[in-house]
Amino acid sequence: MAFDLDMIKKVYDSYSTRVAAARKATGKHLTLTEKILYAHLTDGDATKAFGRGVDYVDFAPDRVAMQDATAQMALLQFMQAGRPQVAVPSTVHCDHLIQAKIGADADLSTAKDVNKEVYDFLASVSDKYGLGFWKPGAGIIHQVVLENYAFPGGMMIGTDSHTPNAGGLGMVAIGVGGADACDVMAGLPWELKFPKLIGVKLTGKLSGWSSAKDVILKVAGILTVKGGTGAIVEYFGEGAESLSATGKGTICNMGAEIGATTSIFGYDPKAAAYLRGTKRADIADLADAVKEHLTGDPEVYANPEQYFDQVIEINLTELEPHVNGPFTPDLAWPISKFATAVKENGWPTKLEVGLIGSCTNSSYEDITRSASIAKQATDKHLKTKAEFTITPGSELVRYTVERDGYLDTFADMGGVVLANACGPCIGQWARHTDDPTRKNSIITSFNRNFAKRQDGNPNTHAFVASPEIVTAFAIAGDLTFNPLTDTLTNEKGEQVKLDEPLGIEMPVKGYAVEDAGYQAPAEDGSKVEVKVDPKSSRLQLLDPFSAWEGTDITGLKLLIKAKGKCTTDHISMAGPWLKFRGHLDNISNNMLIGAINYFNNTADSVKNELTGEYGPVPATQRDYKAHGIGTIVVGDENYGEGSSREHAAMEPRHLGVRAILVKSFARIHETNLKKQGMLGITFADSNDYDKIQEDDSIDILGLTTFAPGKQLTVVLHHKDGSTDSFAVNHTYNAQQIEWFKAGGALNIIRKQMAS
């Protein structure tokens, strides 16, 4: 469980030299983001790198972290790379496969039994190749990383879109697909288009019911789910320094919901205190010695408009608690306006379930603030009206809050403590409901609330708020209740009002744990055997994807023209499908089953041009593949937003889809497609989306001269004999074009390792 102190020393030793070189190359003062990115460039060419938003740049991350669902495919790919050990410190965290159903102990026991094959594979492959392994029950990847591995000024990639959580400790931490993780573990540079920079200046100080969660809920309302795309968000100002390190982690975590590459705060006394409180005083000492490099230059923060592409200012003193939703995390409502919004929009006012915790809000501070509200339910004789669940973020937090009596407080109000895992946040939740067709409302302290995200039910209106606001709503059972102003009738018939929440940033007695759940790898992994049963329905060794045939791609059928929002949840659902994350063929049976077909406004129903009949998307695609016919998927704006899951790219590749044509891509998904040798292209004119008809035969021309910045051409052959032709764009650079030609980046890695 060591935090690689020698590696951190090496990073800090070069900071002064690298920052000085960056200043010389750019001739200007630097943001924190620029300092960290420059310190991790592989070639040291700041002149190229600081052409922001233009060039792809190679970086050398300090570490890799993977959650169990995505780690399966990433490690199956890594096994093909030919390396005896990972090239950078890497860890696997078993947090996604535990279904929340009854309670922590029973659910964890069931998960260990049901997922034994997968856990054994992950443990053995970690043992063999030198990865740290966090067992099921140890906690959620992002909380465990914050407690053990994140360090100011570092750079990390993780196979989960909420990897930016580590930005709360001043780390550039970026969510990626498993193929990117595989590359870095294999010792290759990691490529990123140099981002734009958004500065968020925080003034004032939080008080009362307002919390760090409300900062990001407010920012999401300002920027929307696309406003941060291609950008890193850097928070600064006196308000930023007043926030706890875990509060900053909450803000950075949910920055994924605005499409940001990552979010970050500078190193300050709050970060130092958290490092020391989590037994990393050595890191705090090292950081203190280079602290001027672990925050932006004073001149930057004094005149932010000169250094950031966009600047937002939020006064924390005036910030109201927010509730965001339903169905999207950027529909932001100040608490004073939320009740009116509920009534005017006809959303179900009765609250059925309140859920707190998750990777976004499960710190000691979060739990204590929520518990201070929960205690009032007991003390003031209030009967909790909604179901209430608590998901601790790690065994360290769970053990500590249990020691300090807070779990008993939740039990007294009727709360159920779930396992230290993602659970309901990602759809791993056996929802207790008597009528799944009823429109209903739930509220969580999670990060995402897309339709069907939590419980697979399109009728569930999911809202997002801070843990303390969620707790108050669970007590009231009514979404028109405002805990800041309204009273509740208790069991004695009295009108009582909830007091403001009170929390503790760090446990007074310090953190404690008996078994954190960590397994160190073998010193010599050469003798460790990784077994995958050929008959397994959960795990499947990979075969390389085929290389490009060297010609234009013609005669494609339209598999689906997706209408509206099409996230990675629509492309490759989570929930019960998580059990197939290590078996590409089996999980491909969920491909695009959540996407809405433009031509019939129905999910999982597309026309098979070979039969003329409508059927499920995966079955239709398998029929095309069996007949040797390639297909194309057409999508709308921000296609592939949401979770980083590379399965959303691998499944179409595996089943024979040749290209994805959309109005715009979410960053991680576009990269995932490129890694798998898939052609991802965008309409030069978004109105051309309307030209695509259900019965079209489609050609993609220009591939024989495929080059960076050079448009391709799409030709539509309509059923009536007419044609349409239009230009399409791409963002492939020279290296990525080689991935396409080779059939995937892994094919090139394998060839390099073999030579």
Side-chain angles (χ1 to χ4, degrees):
M1 203 163 60
F3 40 73
D4 312 297
L5 195 62
D6 289 341
M7 176 267 287
I8 297 171
K9 286 180 181 178
K10 184 177 179 181
V11 172
Y12 286 166
D13 284 346
S14 68
Y15 252 77
S16 296
T17 302
R18 286 180 169 265
V19 170
R23 285 204 183 95
K24 181 179 179 181
T26 61
K28 69 182 189 66
H29 298 292
L30 302 176
T31 65
L32 169 63
T33 302
E34 289 168 329
K35 291 179 182 180
I36 298 176
L37 291 182
Y38 183 73
H40 290 84
L41 286 175
T42 57
D43 61 7
D45 185 358
T47 305
K48 174 185 175 183
F50 285 96
R52 294 212 301 264
V54 178
D55 295 307
Y56 281 88
V57 186
D58 285 342
F59 293 99
D62 302 311
R63 67 176 307 109
V64 174
M66 297 173 286
Q67 41 97 330
D68 51 356
T70 49
Q72 295 171 61
M73 194 59 67
L75 290 171
L76 284 165
Q77 293 178 86
F78 177 80
M79 288 172 65
Q80 296 184 320
R83 283 191 65 97
Q85 199 169 38
V86 291
V88 300
S90 304
T91 49
V92 173
H93 304 258
C94 296
D95 61 358
H96 271 57
L97 300 179
I98 303 170
Q99 185 182 43
K101 188 174 182 179
I102 300 171
D105 293 341
D107 294 343
L108 181 58
S109 177
T110 298
K112 287 179 178 179
D113 180 49
V114 171
N115 302 310
K116 184 179 187 304
E117 177 184 13
V118 172
Y119 293 148
D120 287 349
F121 164 72
L122 292 173
S124 63
V125 75
S126 297
D127 203 23
K128 182 174 183 64
Y129 293 108
L131 295 88
F133 179 71
W134 290 82
K135 303 173 186 177
I140 306 173
I141 176 173
H142 314 300
Q143 183 70 21
V144 173
V145 165
L146 196 71
E147 293 167 354
N148 294 277
Y149 300 117
F151 69 96
M155 186 180 198
M156 180 182 80
I157 61 170
T159 61
D160 189 286
S161 51
H162 295 100
T163 299
N165 192 81
L169 271 182
M171 190 175 208
V172 166
I174 300 176
V176 300
D180 279 350
C182 179
D183 286 0
V184 174
M185 289 189 294
L188 299 180
W190 178 64
E191 185 181 66
L192 177 72
K193 189 172 184 179
F194 203 92
K196 294 181 179 180
L197 301 179
I198 297 175
V200 180
K201 182 179 181 179
L202 301 180
T203 62
K205 189 175 183 179
L206 294 170
S207 63
W209 285 87
S210 297
S211 70
K213 181 62 164 261
D214 299 304
V215 176
I216 187 57
L217 295 177
K218 173 76 171 178
V219 170
I222 295 170
L223 290 177
T224 78
V225 292
K226 295 191 296 182
T229 303
I232 290 180
V233 182
E234 183 172 324
Y235 292 84
F236 62 94
E238 61 176 2
E241 294 178 4
S242 71
L243 300 173
S244 67
T246 52
K248 293 169 185 171
T250 291
I251 294 169
C252 293
N253 177 296
M254 199 172 162
E257 309 321 312
I258 58 173
T261 301
T262 193
S263 303
I264 192 168
F265 284 81
Y267 179 67
D268 59 21
K270 294 282 190 179
Y274 185 74
L275 286 170
R276 296 183 189 281
T278 50
K279 299 181 180 179
R280 289 176 287 173
D282 288 345
I283 297 178
D285 292 341
L286 290 173
D288 286 342
V290 293
K291 61 184 178 183
E292 70 272 19
H293 301 315
L294 304 179
T295 186
D297 289 339
E299 294 85 354
V300 170
Y301 296 154
N303 300 285
E305 291 80 7
Q306 297 179 20
Y307 299 93
F308 292 97
D309 298 286
Q310 180 179 356
V311 177
I312 297 168
E313 185 169 339
I314 298 174
N315 186 336
L316 301 184
T317 304
E318 299 173 353
L319 182 64
E320 279 190 66
H322 276 60
V323 181
N324 286 25
F327 305 128
T328 183
D330 60 355
L331 190 59
W333 305 99
I335 193 70
S336 61
K337 298 180 180 179
F338 182 58
T340 300
V342 171
K343 295 172 185 176
E344 290 181 349
N345 288 284
W347 299 326
T349 59
K350 179 185 177 182
L351 180 68
E352 297 199 4
V353 193
L355 307 98
I356 68 168
S358 86
C359 66
T360 319
N361 280 105
S362 59
S363 66
Y364 189 87
E365 181 181 26
D366 288 327
I367 296 296
T368 56
R369 281 176 66 86
S370 299
S372 75
I373 303 301
K375 190 172 189 304
Q376 294 181 54
T378 303
D379 293 348
K380 298 184 178 185
H381 306 288
L382 290 166
K383 184 177 180 180
T384 304
K385 300 293 180 61
E387 285 188 44
F388 185 65
T389 70
I390 306 94
T391 304
S394 70
E395 178 59 13
L396 181 72
V397 168
R398 190 213 63 79
Y399 186 93
T400 304
V401 296
E402 181 181 44
R403 178 202 66 188
D404 294 347
Y406 295 111
L407 295 189
D408 290 337
T409 299
F410 289 126
D412 290 342
M413 70 165 284
V416 176
V417 177
L418 302 177
N420 311 326
C422 298
C425 183
I426 60 166
Q428 283 285 67
W429 178 30
R431 172 86 185 271
H432 303 146
T433 179
D434 56 2
D435 181 7
T437 66
R438 178 183 63 245
K439 287 186 176 181
N440 69 97
S441 292
I442 67 173
I443 188 167
T444 81
S445 69
F446 306 161
N447 41 47
R448 293 203 168 128
N449 61 338
F450 302 134
K452 301 188 284 187
R453 166 78 176 184
Q454 268 81 49
D455 60 4
N457 184 356
N459 299 301
T460 295
H461 294 58
F463 299 88
V464 181
S466 68
E468 49 268 47
I469 290 292
V470 171
T471 306
F473 272 121
I475 294 169
D478 184 350
L479 288 181
T480 64
F481 170 69
N482 182 345
L484 281 69
T485 59
D486 298 345
T487 60
L488 295 169
T489 304
N490 70 7
E491 292 180 291
K492 296 182 177 181
E494 303 167 332
Q495 293 298 303
V496 296
K497 189 171 181 293
L498 295 174
D499 300 323
E500 295 176 350
L502 298 173
I504 305 170
E505 284 187 21
M506 304 269 283
V508 176
K509 300 178 185 177
Y511 288 102
V513 69
E514 287 185 347
D515 179 7
Y518 177 75
Q519 172 186 298
E523 291 187 12
D524 178 9
S526 62
K527 298 179 181 179
V528 176
E529 183 178 359
V530 179
K531 293 182 179 180
V532 175
D533 186 347
K535 299 179 181 179
S536 172
S537 65
R538 300 285 303 270
L539 296 165
Q540 178 188 45
L541 295 176
L542 297 174
D543 292 321
F545 289 133
S546 59
W548 172 57
E549 58 267 60
T551 64
D552 289 333
I553 303 176
T554 60
L556 300 177
K557 298 298 183 184
L558 176 68
L559 177 60
I560 186 172
K561 181 177 177 179
K563 179 180 179 181
K565 188 184 287 290
C566 192
T567 71
T568 48
D569 282 297
H570 293 87
I571 304 168
S572 177
M573 287 185 179
W577 293 95
L578 285 174
K579 62 179 175 287
F580 298 126
R581 282 290 180 89
H583 197 294
L584 182 56
D585 193 58
N586 283 347
I587 198 170
S588 293
N589 288 322
N590 77 359
M591 185 188 73
L592 285 158
I593 63 176
I596 301 300
N597 183 358
Y598 177 91
F599 298 104
N600 60 10
N601 286 310
T602 304
D604 201 23
S605 176
V606 294
K607 186 176 181 180
N608 184 332
E609 292 298 320
L610 300 179
T611 65
E613 298 178 351
Y614 285 83
V617 182
T620 302
Q621 178 56 38
R622 288 184 186 277
D623 194 27
Y624 285 137
K625 182 179 181 180
H627 286 85
I629 298 172
T631 60
I632 186 171
V633 170
V634 175
D636 214 317
E637 297 281 3
N638 209 28
Y639 182 90
E641 69 174 283
S643 298
S644 65
R645 62 193 65 148
E646 65 186 301
H647 298 77
M650 295 186 76
E651 291 172 28
R653 183 76 168 97
H654 172 66
L655 291 184
V657 176
R658 298 301 305 272
I660 311 292
L661 170 61
V662 299
K663 293 180 181 179
S664 64
F665 283 107
R667 176 188 61 84
I668 297 176
H669 186 64
E670 183 178 26
T671 300
N672 286 346
L673 290 169
K674 293 176 179 179
K675 289 282 185 179
Q676 302 305 333
M678 177 73 81
L679 186 62
I681 49 181
T682 57
F683 293 99
D685 180 352
S686 62
N687 292 319
D688 289 333
Y689 171 90
D690 299 324
K691 296 177 181 177
I692 294 175
Q693 299 175 20
E694 191 171 34
D695 301 311
D696 284 346
S697 178
I698 302 169
D699 301 336
I700 302 174
L701 309 180
L703 290 173
T704 56
T705 55
F706 197 9
K710 185 177 181 181
Q711 290 181 320
L712 301 173
T713 300
V714 167
V715 180
L716 307 177
H717 301 274
H718 303 306
K719 192 173 183 180
D720 63 5
S722 64
T723 63
D724 272 306
S725 178
F726 51 83
V728 293
N729 297 328
H730 68 84
T731 61
Y732 288 74
N733 60 25
Q735 176 178 274
Q736 293 166 345
I737 289 173
E738 292 306 309
W739 297 344
F740 170 75
K741 292 179 177 179
L746 190 60
N747 289 348
I748 293 178
I749 296 173
R750 186 186 304 106
K751 185 177 180 180
Q752 291 172 343
M753 291 296 175
S755 62

